[in-house]
């Protein structure tokens, strides 16, 4: 919390130097988001509240008392007594207006999302107030994230209160194709309200979530006024024209079923000044969003490494597309010198694959580590006899996983798992092999997307000698590992077909009959569904990785391991 508050003070000082009249930070900026079960710890909630009070005093002590600062924090419900389902003192996802050394307004999120990665009904009780700040004669209302997405609630209350602008504090995670949805939402809400909308979003990685920023402002007609960058922390300073507040709306005690809480900074309009040109960061080509996805993966790795106190990563490179892309993402996130690429030749290793692994390391200047595993495999086989198809290959992968973990423990590297979503879905990531690690950059990337991302990255900045960072041969290498794990397996299709089937089954919960009706071969459907369903226990053991799709193989999709339901 201390570090987060340091960031608030630093950016508030920059905003003041730029002449800002108001500065707004994202949802729960004091604690970070999401805090998960930390919200259930009384000491954590108390620390958040104390830190927010201290932040108000610190801003004033550092010469920023004049500047209203709005922050998100973890607060408590206050009231005259307990309400049904809302005990006094229960945690709330809150915002605070800080001014002249004190907290002047507090309000809590009303709509609590309870889908996908969000469990806010588990942690918080909803708010029932609308905060209204009178700033230089204009009324500005505030809400938190989901409140903007849902009809009614604080949005309708802001309209009833006659607010000239509604600003939302957001911790909205990245999803592919989501940024245009946000802009369309803000435009629609602005036209409904007849007021400007400010959308302030968090930036950075937190476990499996990546927040890409993309903060924006639209005017009362829904026209885009300003927009910040994606995946880079940025202070967006923008001039907006707001209507002068009407006294009738200011005197209202209730709006849209919400109790209005108010604070006045000034009733007078500011002295005339020359407005600065608006900042509009251009978007990437909407027909080619691979660069956006790649940036999300880099941000997720960078912040997971940095925020957990690591300075280097360890990646097992095998000469395939998954490990090549994982190593490249890591190099872009933490620097090539900090990527320890482990080459682990063993019995039956493909010489061409080993050559491609060595070529990858040389092209990017990664730190090469060579550890043959035959002696380790001999020791394992002298202890245990592995029967069945693929058993020896599993043992080889597990030997490699042992090396990765041992080096991580001895030298302090964070291990990156290299499996992709297609393999994870069907249980084809070897236990303690390519699933070994603390973070999995490709966890939410289908195999087809892995190859698209690799080719996109190869088309960008080359290495120092002009070559693309990844060998082309590594990107087309096929692996049929584990496909025959179920008897009578049909011929394996291409990944375009396979990933389409997996996405339909996992992403939409379609049953076998629906999948067959959609054109997938019945034998293929039965085989893939069986592989997916029997691999739930493996997915529970797999490390977290950045969420980039609407439905990940994690908190978005929760199935019992002990389960005999067959489609």
């Amino acid at each position: 919390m201390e570090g987060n508050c340091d960031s608030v003070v630093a950016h508030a000082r920059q905003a003041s130097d730029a002449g800002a009249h108001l500065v707004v930070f994202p949802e729960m900026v004091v604690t970070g988001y999401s805090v998960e079960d930390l919200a259930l710890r009384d000491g954590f909630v108390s620390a958040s509240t104390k830190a927010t009070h201290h932040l108000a005093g610190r801003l004033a002590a550092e010469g920023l008392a004049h500047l209203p600062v709005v922050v998100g924090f973890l607060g408590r419900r206050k009231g005259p007594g307990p309400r049904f389902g809302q005990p006094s003192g229960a945690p709330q996802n809150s915002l605070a207006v800080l001014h002249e050394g004190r907290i002047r307004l507090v309000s809590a999120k009303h709509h609590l999302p309870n889908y996908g990665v969000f469990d806010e009904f588990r942690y918080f009780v909803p708010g029932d107030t609308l905060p209204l700040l009178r700033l230089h004669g204009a009324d500005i209302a505030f809400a938190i994230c989901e409140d903007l997405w849902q009809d009614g609630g604080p949005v309708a209350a802001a309209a009833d209160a006659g607010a000239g602008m509604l600003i939302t504090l957001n911790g909205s995670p990245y999803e592919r194709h989501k940024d245009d949805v946000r802009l369309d939402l803000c435009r629609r809400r602005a036209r409904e309200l007849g007021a400007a909308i400010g959308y302030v979003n968090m930036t950075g990685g937190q476990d499996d979530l990546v927040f890409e920023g993309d903060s924006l402002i639209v005017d009362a007609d829904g026209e885009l006024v300003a927009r910040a960058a994606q995946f880079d922390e940025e202070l967006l300073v923008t001039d907006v024209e707001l209507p002068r507040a009407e006294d009738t709306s200011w005197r209202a005690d209730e709006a849209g079923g919400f109790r209005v809480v108010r604070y006045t900074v000034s009733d007078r309009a500011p002295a005339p000044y020359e407005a600065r040109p608006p900042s509009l960061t251009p978007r990437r080509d909407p027909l080619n969003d691979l660069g956006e996805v790649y940036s999300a993966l880099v941000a997720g790795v960078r912040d997971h490494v940095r925020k957990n106190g690591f300075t280097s990563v360890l990646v097992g490179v095998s000469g395939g597309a998954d490990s090549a892309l994982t190593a490249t993402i890591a190099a872009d996130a933490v620097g090539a010198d900090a990527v320890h690429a482990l080459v682990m030749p063993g019995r039956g290793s493909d010489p061409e694959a080993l050559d491609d692994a060595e070529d990858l390391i040389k092209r990017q200047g990664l730190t090469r580590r060579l550890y043959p595993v035959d002696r380790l495999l001999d020791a394992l086989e002298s202890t245990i006899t592995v029967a069945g198809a693929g058993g020896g290959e599993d043992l080889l992968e597990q030997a490699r996983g042992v090396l990765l973990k041992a080096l991580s423990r001895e030298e302090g590297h964070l291990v990156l798992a290299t499996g992709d979503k297609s393999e994870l879905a069907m249980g084809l990531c070897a236990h303690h092999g390519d699933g070994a690690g603390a973070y999995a950059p490709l966890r939410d990337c289908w195999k087809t997307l892995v190859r698209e991302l690799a080719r996109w990255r190869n088309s960008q900045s080359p290495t120092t000698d002009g070559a693309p960072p990844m060998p082309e041969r590594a990107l087309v290498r096929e692996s049929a590992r584990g496909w025959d794990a179920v008897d009578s397996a049909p011929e394996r299709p291409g990944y375009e077909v396979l990933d389409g089937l997996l996405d339909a089954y996992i992403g939409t919960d379609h049953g076998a009959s629906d999948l067959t009706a959609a054109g997938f071969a019945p034998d293929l459907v039965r085989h893939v569904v069986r592989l997916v369903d029997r691999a739930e226990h493996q997915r529970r053991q797999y490390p977290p990785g950045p969420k980039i799709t609407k439905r990940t193989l994690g908190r978005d999709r929760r199935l019992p391991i002990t389960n005999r339901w067959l489609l």
Side-chain angles (χ1 to χ4, degrees), residues 395-407:
L395 204 58
L396 176 63
E397 291 300 319
Q398 290 165 6
R400 289 170 173 155
V402 168
L403 274 174
L404 287 165
K405 293 178 180 180
L407 284 171

Side-chain angles (χ1 to χ4, degrees), residues 486-500:
V486 178
D487 294 338
S488 304
E491 181 180 353
R492 183 169 186 161
Y495 273 108
E496 290 76 11
V497 173
L498 185 57
D499 286 351

Side-chain angles (χ1 to χ4, degrees), residues 277-312:
S279 173
L280 279 166
T281 303
R283 299 295 92 183
R284 293 183 175 90
D285 180 356
L287 299 179
N288 182 8
D289 66 337
L290 295 175
E292 180 181 277
V293 174
Y294 189 85
S295 296
L297 301 179
V298 170
V301 172
R302 179 196 64 218
D303 281 6
H304 197 80
V305 171
R306 177 178 61 87
K307 293 179 179 180
N308 285 288
F310 290 89
T311 58
S312 58

Side-chain angles (χ1 to χ4, degrees), residues 135-222:
L135 178 63
H136 301 310
D139 283 350
I140 303 174
F142 299 92
I144 301 177
C145 204
E146 191 76 9
D147 291 338
L148 187 70
W149 292 85
Q150 303 296 328
D151 293 333
V155 173
D160 289 349
M165 186 174 191
L166 172 66
I167 300 178
T168 60
L169 287 65
N170 302 275
S172 181
Y174 172 76
E175 282 179 15
R176 203 175 178 186
H177 310 307
K178 188 175 182 179
D179 63 329
D180 288 336
V181 175
R182 290 196 192 112
L183 176 57
D184 290 344
L185 171 71
C186 290
R187 283 174 164 158
R188 186 171 73 253
R189 293 299 190 213
R191 289 190 285 264
E192 290 172 3
L193 282 167
I197 297 286
Y199 187 97
V200 184
N201 196 28
M202 188 173 288
T203 307
Q206 170 64 32
D207 293 348
D208 56 338
L209 302 181
V210 178
F211 303 95
E212 83 271 33
D214 193 31
S215 299
L216 56 91
I217 297 173
V218 299
D219 64 19
D221 295 322

Side-chain angles (χ1 to χ4, degrees), residues 288 291 294 453-463 467-469:
N288 182 8
Y294 189 85
L453 289 169
R455 291 198 171 92
W456 176 87
R457 180 61 181 86
N458 269 0
S459 72
Q460 303 303 302
S461 54
T463 58

Side-chain angles (χ1 to χ4, degrees), residues 234-301:
E234 180 181 355
L235 177 69
L236 182 66
V237 182
T238 307
D239 287 296
V240 291
E241 277 195 45
L242 301 181
R244 184 166 182 81
E246 298 180 6
D247 289 340
T248 53
S249 65
W250 180 244
R251 287 197 299 267
D253 294 323
E254 184 271 340
F258 285 75
R259 181 169 56 88
V260 179
V261 291
R262 317 176 187 86
Y263 177 67
T264 299
V265 173
S266 172
D267 279 315
R268 293 185 178 182
Y273 63 95
E274 184 176 349
R276 68 177 63 210
S279 173
L280 279 166
T281 303
R283 299 295 92 183
R284 293 183 175 90
D285 180 356
L287 299 179
N288 182 8
D289 66 337
L290 295 175
E292 180 181 277
V293 174
Y294 189 85
S295 296
L297 301 179
V298 170
V301 172

